[in-house]
Amino acid sequence: MTTTKTVPMPGRTPVPGRTHIARTSDASAARVISARRPPSRRDPRGPGAGPAGRRAPLRPPHSLFAERLLAVLSGERPVHWMLGWTVGEAYEQLVRLAPATPLRPRPGQPTPVVRRCRAFRPGPDAVEAFATLASGDRVRAMAFRLERAPDRRWRCAAVEIDGPRPPRTET
């Protein structure tokens, strides 16, 4: 015969809004206990939703694009992943750069990460940014330009890795 007396589950305390299964004194039976929020609570949020009105701070667009470009140029993501995020010549630059995966880590080295990303705003709808990328003891540079499209979204307009190389002189 099954009893309806519940025994608290070890290490568990009822949380408002969640459903718990509690064992009865007869080990073969269990019943569901629905824990409800207190009647005095008026906000619709559930437990663990965080303080009302607070959101994580938005990252600046140049920081987000540095991460996206690194993913493509290190071989983590395909070039077409940036198709909707680029305009003009930038996609063609990525198509030329990506097959060589210039930022792919060497064997035994850690995955490259964005060490620092800074930006300069020459106008309200343009950002010129540079990032230093680190992989183990190796540090690389990346520069890119972002332009705000008519739909108010940022798009990458130019990309450059390690800067222009000076011409080699024979000695």
Side-chain angles (χ1 to χ4, degrees), residues 27-129:
S28 64
R31 84 173 188 162
V32 175
I33 299 173
S34 177
R36 293 184 172 79
R37 68 175 182 234
S40 61
R41 185 171 175 176
R42 297 285 183 244
D43 64 335
R45 297 175 298 124
R54 283 197 133 158
R55 290 186 179 170
L58 295 175
R59 291 174 54 194
H62 61 275
S63 176
L64 295 171
F65 271 87
E67 297 283 342
R68 285 182 154 277
L69 290 168
L70 175 62
V72 169
L73 295 172
S74 65
E76 286 183 39
R77 293 283 189 162
V79 179
H80 65 267
W81 187 58
M82 289 293 290
L83 193 55
W85 298 95
T86 55
V87 292
E89 182 64 23
Y91 186 73
E92 298 302 322
Q93 289 172 325
L94 285 175
V95 167
R96 284 191 301 269
L97 286 171
T101 56
L103 301 176
R104 182 174 295 230
R106 294 178 182 162
Q109 282 193 336
T111 304
V113 294
V114 176
R115 179 193 273 182
R116 177 181 295 169
C117 187
R118 299 283 187 246
F120 167 71
R121 294 189 88 150
D125 292 332
V127 173
E128 292 179 354

Side-chain angles (χ1 to χ4, degrees), residues 2-6 24-25 31:
T2 306
T3 62
T4 57
K5 179 181 173 190
T6 60
T24 61
S25 57
R31 84 173 188 162

